[in-house]
Amino acid sequence: MTDESALPLLPHWIDGRSTMPDPERRLPVFDPATGKVQAEVPVATGRDVDRTVASAVASGVDWAVTPPGRRAEVMFAFRELLRARQPELIAAVCREHGKVPDDAAGEVARGLENVDFACGVPALLKGSFSPQVSSGVDVHSVREPVGVVVGITPFNFPVMVPLWMLANALACGNTFVLKPSERDPSASLVLAELLADAGLPPGVFSVLHGDRTTVDALIAHPDVAAVSFVGSTAAAEHVYARASAAGKRVQALGGAKNHLVVLPDADVGLAADGAVSAAFGSAGQRCMAVSVAVAVGDVADDLVEAIAKRLPGLRVGPASDPDAEMGPLIDEAALRRVTRYVAGAEKEGGRVVVDGRDHALAPTADPNGFFLGPTLIDDVAPGAAVYDDEIFGPVLAVVRVEHFDDAVGLVNANRYGNGAAVYTRDGGNARRFQREVTCGMVGVNVPIPVPVGSYSFGGWKSSLFGSARMYGPAGLDFYTREKVITTRWPDPVASVVDLVFPTR
Ligand code: NAD
């Protein structure tokens, strides 16, 4: 039980200011490093949804026709503020997510790339012009904003994923309602303040807190034109189905099971460093985390040994510990879920080489925090839960296969298709791998191939519903509608009635 009155209640951000709600329901926001509830987040009511969308519609009238150059000025100012006030964002992420400060700084930096890209919006929104497509007839195209966009984001990147969406959406002239994760909602309010300080007009960006009920209400709202979603596959499928049935433009990015394939000729030390960094950074709570290492041929024993050797030294502790490399899981349910996978692995044929439950935590770690050390499980095969499910925790499974083709077959048979990496010194095999794997982002000797902001992010198969990838050029396409205009300035003397379908 928590003493409700003693806990701060987070505000929504509506009409350009912090708005204290009068919620029918509130949810706890934990400090994952201590296990204590540190604040409460309101669940928006239907009235809150109506009011927020109405404010977005009203402010969108002017914002949509604000010159792109002026919108870019706001983005430039926002960019400077993001850099200057980065410590506030990092503090919010560390406090509620639990990731260590350097990792939080990394997510701010990767998010900033999207603002950099959006600063170029005057050039990016250029249309095309084709003179004289017929006698006296010209054609040109323009891109117009879609209207009110709703963004729904996951807990694991409370700054970066909102920036994937909002930078392009706002720069393209849309208004944006963010429904951040209820588990670490404070960073979104810092983003809202920075946007307001950058000169964004009130109502153009709002933050509405809540859970799946809020998401459903936002999707169903008739004035919402487009929905950007990032989260688990089950929720992505639900959002995609609902939003498309309601006639909205929707992109829904889901979960992942990313494989790192190590070929026999690879530099084992490099591959082990890559696997450990990508499997256990942020306690494995990244959609591009490596959760399966595929050892091909006789590299397996050396690889498992090299990975195992690196794990006992990892310092697992709170973000306040300057030497901590890995923080806690997000909540108790996540800790229980991940622990269950580790406990059940051997019954399904796996061999637990390093058990995270036995890991010596840093002395700074509160025993009530949601900490779990890194786990390595060898001899895993498809059909075992640790292979089939997205665990989203610090667990790395090793699958041993004989040949290159077996490794590619494994990646391609998986229901997810976010990212895959190959470690090799052989350019031919690297090239074959990147051509043959069925996933959206591929790394060659790079374990977490998250594309830079001038490209776009998105997986295949159950990692993305809809065809639209996120940010970069794909973001521009998603947040604009193209209009093609055919123009003639006729000589009245030459005008005749002609019922034939026009040709050149
Ligand atoms: P989640 O699906 O539980 O929640 C994501 C968001 O959706 C939250 O805002 C939540 O309130 C809302 N939500 C939850 N259930 C819903 C439902 N049934 N209907 C409508 N809305 C719902 O995800 P999470 O635990 O916050 O984040 C982790 C998941 O997100 C992992 O599966 C991870 O792989 C995925 N993820 C994917 C990407 C990507 O780019 N593909 C990026 C980051 C995270």
Side-chain angles (χ1 to χ4, degrees):
M1 284 292 285
T2 56
D3 176 4
E4 257 188 21
S5 56
L7 290 167
L9 177 65
L10 295 175
H12 300 301
W13 184 274
I14 306 172
D15 283 332
R17 59 179 178 276
S18 193
T19 306
M20 244 329 154
D22 179 18
E24 286 155 14
R25 281 197 301 133
R26 25 178 107 197
L27 300 168
V29 179
F30 286 91
D31 173 352
T34 63
K36 292 201 177 87
V37 179
Q38 54 178 324
E40 288 183 316
V41 63
V43 177
T45 60
R47 252 195 338 273
D48 297 328
V49 169
D50 287 345
R51 178 179 163 202
T52 309
V53 175
S55 157
V57 169
S59 60
V61 175
D62 284 345
W63 185 245
V65 294
T66 297
R70 169 65 199 131
R71 297 200 298 254
E73 275 173 19
V74 173
M75 281 297 135
F76 275 111
F78 178 49
R79 183 178 183 282
E80 289 315 303
L81 287 168
L82 272 171
R83 288 164 66 90
R85 288 168 61 185
Q86 212 183 125
E88 282 170 59
L89 283 166
I90 293 172
V93 173
C94 293
R95 200 170 62 238
E96 293 180 354
H97 178 289
K99 65 176 76 171
V100 299
D102 284 352
D103 199 31
E107 90 156 274
V108 176
R110 294 307 306 265
L112 255 170
E113 288 175 15
N114 304 116
V115 185
D116 292 346
F117 183 80
C119 284
V121 81
L124 295 167
L125 287 185
K126 267 195 316 197
S128 55
F129 184 84
S130 302
Q132 196 67 357
V133 294
S134 181
S135 277
V137 177
D138 303 331
V139 171
H140 71 281
S141 70
V142 294
R143 286 169 180 265
E144 294 185 355
V146 295
V148 179
V149 177
V150 165
I152 301 141
T153 52
F155 81 83
N156 64 326
F157 285 109
V159 172
M160 183 182 77
V161 172
L163 290 174
W164 283 2
M165 304 172 179
L166 70 88
N168 273 337
L170 296 175
C172 287
N174 303 283
T175 54
F176 193 91
V177 180
L178 175 63
K179 206 303 280 169
S181 170
E182 59 275 39
R183 289 185 274 179
D184 48 11
S186 291
S188 64
L189 296 168
V190 180
L191 291 174
E193 263 182 43
L194 300 185
L195 282 164
D197 291 352
L200 193 75
V204 174
F205 177 78
S206 323
V207 176
L208 204 57
H209 298 292
D211 58 10
R212 55 179 303 171
T213 58
T214 320
V215 173
D216 285 344
L218 282 165
I219 292 176
H221 199 291
D223 291 335
V224 169
V227 178
S228 293
F229 175 90
V230 176
S232 57
T233 285
E237 260 184 298
H238 166 81
V239 166
Y240 183 72
R242 279 250 174 144
S244 12
K248 322 271 177 190
R249 185 177 280 218
V250 53
Q251 54 180 174
L253 277 61
K257 194 82 187 175
N258 306 308
H259 295 59
L260 181 148
V261 173
V262 183
L263 298 183
D265 70 314
D267 177 329
V268 172
L270 187 76
D273 285 341
V276 171
S277 311
F280 304 113
S282 200
Q285 300 171 112
R286 293 180 182 144
C287 62
M288 290 293 273
V290 164
S291 47
V292 182
V294 185
V296 180
D298 59 11
V299 79
D301 288 344
D302 289 349
L303 180 69
V304 170
E305 191 190 331
I307 294 174
K309 239 175 48 196
R310 285 158 168 76
L311 303 189
L314 292 184
R315 189 170 168 100
V316 180
S320 55
D321 175 343
D323 296 321
E325 294 164 280
M326 186 180 121
L329 288 157
I330 185 68
D331 58 20
E332 194 174 358
L335 178 60
R336 281 215 213 102
R337 191 191 66 241
V338 180
T339 309
R340 250 193 332 266
Y341 278 107
V342 178
E346 299 221 322
K347 270 192 234 113
E348 295 193 298
R351 188 171 61 87
V352 177
V353 181
V354 178
D355 190 329
R357 295 172 295 175
D358 302 333
H359 191 88
L361 301 179
T364 48
D366 186 321
N368 297 313
F370 308 130
F371 293 101
L372 180 66
T375 292
L376 178 65
I377 308 171
D378 196 2
D379 292 324
V380 172
V386 284
Y387 179 80
D388 292 345
D389 300 349
E390 180 186 40
I391 298 177
F392 221 57
V395 178
L396 178 62
V398 178
V399 181
R400 295 175 177 235
V401 299
E402 286 288 309
H403 304 293
F404 176 94
D405 288 339
D406 304 326
V408 171
L410 195 68
V411 175
N412 291 354
N414 199 275
R415 69 182 287 232
Y416 298 106
N418 227 31
V422 66
Y423 273 71
T424 179
R425 292 181 170 112
D426 181 322
N429 278 336
R431 186 168 185 278
R432 257 190 78 197
F433 183 84
Q434 53 102 359
R435 285 175 65 83
E436 292 177 18
V437 284
T438 53
C439 62
M441 293 166 285
V442 181
V444 176
N445 298 318
V446 171
I448 309 186
V450 175
V452 292
S454 50
Y455 284 76
S456 300
F457 184 105
W460 292 9
K461 302 183 276 188
S462 291
S463 295
L464 188 152
F465 299 88
S467 58
R469 288 157 79 90
M470 206 151 282
Y471 71 73
L476 284 186
D477 288 341
F478 187 76
Y479 295 124
T480 55
R481 290 187 284 197
E482 194 181 37
K483 187 179 272 177
V484 181
I485 300 111
T486 304
T487 308
R488 179 167 54 172
W489 293 105
D491 175 348
V493 177
S495 173
V496 290
V497 170
D498 184 355
L499 300 191
V500 173
F501 195 66
T503 65
R504 278 179 292 179

